[in-house]
Amino acid sequence: MIELRNIHKAFGKKEILRGMNLSVPKGESMVIIGGSGSGKSVTLKCILGLIAQDKGEIFIEGKNAQDATDRDAFLARFGMLFQGGALFDSMSVWQNVAFRLLRGTEKKTPLEAREIAIEKLRRVGLSPDVADQYPAELSGGMQKRVGLARAIAADPEIIFFDEPTTGLDPIMAGVINTLIREIVVEMGATSIAITHDMTSVRAISDKVAMLYDGEIKWTGAVGDMDTADDPYLQQFITGAPDGPITTA
Amino acid sequence: MIAALATLGQSTLGLLAAIGRVCLFAFSVVTHMLRPPFYIREFSQALLNIGFFSLPVVGLTALFTGGALALQIYAGGARFNAEAVVPSIVSIGMVRELGPVLSGLMVAGRVSASIAAELASMKVTEQIDALVTLSSNPLKYLAVPRVLAATLTLPILVAVGDSIGIFGGYLVGVNSLDFNAAGYLKNTVTFLELWDVTSGLIKGAVFGFILSIMGCYHGMNSGRGAQGVGRATINAVVSSSILILAANYLLTSLFFTS
């Protein structure tokens, strides 16, 4: 269970999150939707401790994330797929995937780590030949898949997806959505994805949360999304230029 | 008047805050150097990139500087019949001053810029955030190996630069200024003291620390986008060059004034 209570975050005078509350039960796939700059990425970064919230508390399985004394153990529970992949240019694909496995307390031998990396690459539909290539040699879709393989390499309990289909063609986006759904279900992981791609929302989520003006305006099951009477959600789904969401 | 004072005050505060941030960053890097885990592979890679690949630029700079120095000292010395001091002045000038400063500045241009650009690109593409999510401390993984490698290799580069610079002076002295080869070498060695050499090597280590810290600091704190990467690179080179020259003055006064 991931629980965010009254999270506030401002950058200078600009308030991004203004008392955000959200609960994601264990094993559930939550998608946070919202416009650009609405604070979706900031939310994920606050949970991971990449940036500190100004106010509010984040609980992971009932424990306050700020009280985590062993940062490595805390972060080992998470996997994250970054928007642009965030693969390390100087390392080969398998070294990227096995990055966590080659370091830390549960370090594996390079041979074992490579085997796991190849297995994870296979899981995301990439052949073992890709293992020795460098990220710059791969297409955007392949880089996303490598990023996904890296996110799941250490079998995390919680997986975050930051705009998983941005920059991909519709077919590749569909492939990534299917992979995400399959992997999350298969691993029984709790996941939070952030996106503005409604196809992605329908494909990967159990529940949806609509973030606007620093607060969750609506949350509910993905099946209830279209019939919900929340004006913010409806404007976002339909992409109507007029409504409570301003674009200025 | 009040507005001008306010602007001055604001700029001063901004400058002091920036100095504070750099000092905290440097302190943090040093403390991480002493605590495991140690990334041997990244350190070896940094040694190669910073030390080995800087050899040509340092060597060529030193060679030409040594040659030019011999010509200048000969021309200047001729005004009061002191042409014979060329070997000793070239060697002392190289090992105490020109070797460390020129090596520092050349490596600052090459390495500090490259570190800043690399780390800033990593920041822009979220690779630094990815490192954190993969349970690796970016300071320890990215900054410590580079700072340690630069601090250790700069004295070696300075030593190589000193030798090549003295050799450049020797070539010019023997081939253009009609010095006797054996006499030139004898004068070079006779007047050179151990402290002349070691003071230059200490300077090298300090300059290596400065240029790598500035590269890492500006890279890891860069702004967003291509402009952020460009600005980080410029700031790294400019600040490390100025700090190297300032540190050189301070170290020279510390070492050579009684």
Side-chain angles (χ1 to χ4, degrees):
Chain A
M1 163 84 113
I2 302 170
E3 202 177 352
L4 284 77
R5 288 186 202 161
N6 193 30
I7 302 298
H8 287 257
K9 180 68 195 173
F11 292 101
K13 286 181 183 168
K14 194 176 177 189
E15 278 188 281
I16 303 294
L17 300 177
R18 309 169 188 221
M20 182 185 177
N21 293 293
L22 185 71
S23 288
V24 186
K26 195 176 169 86
E28 193 172 87
S29 179
M30 167 70 79
V31 173
I32 303 173
I33 56 173
S36 302
S38 59
K40 304 187 297 294
S41 296
V42 171
T43 304
L44 291 190
K45 288 181 178 179
C46 282
I47 300 174
L48 288 165
L50 291 172
I51 51 176
Q53 69 267 24
D54 300 330
K55 204 173 141 191
E57 288 167 319
I58 296 166
F59 293 89
I60 311 288
E61 305 302 341
K63 287 183 186 162
N64 193 328
Q66 281 183 321
D67 296 340
T69 44
D70 187 348
R71 231 12 233 147
D72 288 355
F74 173 77
L75 287 167
R77 303 169 71 180
F78 294 87
M80 175 145 181
L81 171 61
F82 285 85
Q83 188 175 348
L87 300 175
F88 305 123
D89 309 319
S90 57
M91 290 178 197
S92 64
V93 164
W94 84 264
Q95 286 170 327
N96 264 283
V97 175
F99 189 92
R100 199 199 286 273
L101 306 171
L102 289 165
R103 291 159 185 86
T105 45
E106 290 175 30
K107 189 176 165 179
K108 308 238 181 298
T109 65
L111 204 67
E112 284 174 324
R114 188 185 156 89
E115 269 176 31
I116 296 172
I118 287 174
E119 184 206 315
K120 298 295 178 186
L121 285 170
R122 216 177 259 132
R123 178 65 196 88
V124 298
L126 293 172
S127 73
D129 310 343
V130 174
D132 292 313
Q133 287 184 288
Y134 281 82
E137 298 172 83
L138 307 178
S139 67
M142 288 168 94
Q143 288 189 14
K144 274 269 159 75
R145 288 203 245 184
V146 174
L148 185 54
R150 184 174 70 183
I152 60 167
D155 300 321
E157 300 162 41
I158 302 161
I159 313 176
F160 291 162
F161 304 99
D162 184 357
E163 307 277 4
T165 55
T166 299
L168 301 179
D169 66 70
I171 296 167
M172 186 50 72
V175 170
I176 296 290
N177 286 335
T178 309
L179 275 172
I180 288 175
R181 186 65 191 171
E182 281 175 6
I183 286 167
V184 168
V185 170
E186 192 176 287
M187 292 173 66
T190 308
S191 77
I192 301 180
I194 57 175
T195 185
H196 12 66
D197 176 358
M198 294 313 294
T199 313
S200 202
V201 175
R202 293 174 206 284
I204 65 178
S205 65
D206 295 323
K207 282 181 91 176
V208 179
M210 169 76 204
L211 179 63
Y212 179 70
D213 204 20
E215 291 173 14
I216 297 292
K217 296 289 184 191
W218 182 87
T219 182
V222 64
D224 300 337
M225 192 171 63
D226 292 315
T227 51
D229 57 4
D230 183 85
Y232 295 95
L233 180 69
Q234 286 312 318
Q235 190 191 353
F236 193 82
I237 294 172
T238 56
D242 300 319
I245 300 175
T246 53
T247 52
Chain B
M1 179 67 180
I2 288 174
L5 281 174
T7 311
L8 182 68
Q10 219 162 21
S11 309
T12 312
L13 281 176
L15 180 70
L16 291 174
I19 292 170
R21 282 194 297 270
V22 172
C23 289
L24 284 175
F25 180 83
F27 178 73
S28 194
V29 170
V30 171
T31 54
H32 278 294
M33 272 180 197
L34 310 171
R35 295 199 305 257
F38 304 109
Y39 295 106
I40 307 295
R41 209 169 134 184
E42 284 66 30
F43 173 64
S44 316
Q45 189 65 47
L47 275 182
L48 191 72
N49 285 339
I50 297 170
F52 184 72
F53 292 127
S54 295
L55 275 172
V57 71
V58 169
L60 283 171
T61 308
L63 184 73
F64 293 122
T65 306
L69 193 59
L71 289 175
Q72 287 283 16
I73 294 165
Y74 185 81
R79 292 179 194 165
F80 37 92
N81 298 321
E83 296 94 328
V85 297
V86 169
S88 48
I89 301 284
V90 166
S91 56
I92 291 171
M94 278 311 297
V95 299
R96 275 191 181 190
E97 200 63 36
L98 289 172
V101 172
L102 289 177
S103 301
L105 291 177
M106 295 311 286
V107 177
R110 203 188 86 82
V111 172
S112 192
S114 127
I115 292 175
E118 187 185 358
L119 300 192
S121 302
M122 287 184 77
K123 189 178 179 205
V124 168
T125 54
E126 294 185 303
Q127 290 179 52
I128 292 185
D129 284 345
L131 269 178
V132 178
T133 64
L134 292 164
S135 309
S136 289
N137 183 332
L139 212 58
K140 199 172 257 307
Y141 184 77
L142 298 171
V144 167
R146 287 165 173 79
V147 173
L148 198 59
T151 309
L152 294 177
T153 54
L154 246 287
I156 299 169
L157 286 170
V158 168
V160 172
D162 288 349
S163 312
I164 295 176
I166 292 170
F167 179 65
Y170 168 85
L171 285 180
V172 170
V174 171
N175 296 312
S176 304
L177 307 175
D178 295 330
F179 273 88
N180 171 275
Y184 190 100
L185 287 177
K186 186 171 175 288
N187 278 348
T188 296
V189 177
T190 308
F191 292 100
L192 202 58
E193 292 175 6
L194 183 64
W195 178 235
D196 295 329
V197 180
T198 45
S199 66
L201 300 185
I202 293 169
K203 281 183 178 182
V206 174
F207 299 163
F209 181 78
I210 288 172
L211 70 89
S212 52
I213 282 287
M214 297 318 287
C216 291
Y217 175 78
H218 287 291
M220 293 177 87
N221 292 286
S222 75
R224 294 279 171 196
Q227 203 177 21
V229 177
R231 195 161 289 163
T233 311
I234 293 170
N235 289 343
V237 175
V238 171
S239 58
S240 53
S241 302
I242 291 171
L243 285 175
I244 283 172
L245 293 170
N248 180 54
Y249 172 75
L250 288 175
L251 290 173
T252 304
S253 29
L254 184 72
F255 293 156
F256 299 108
T257 53
S258 50

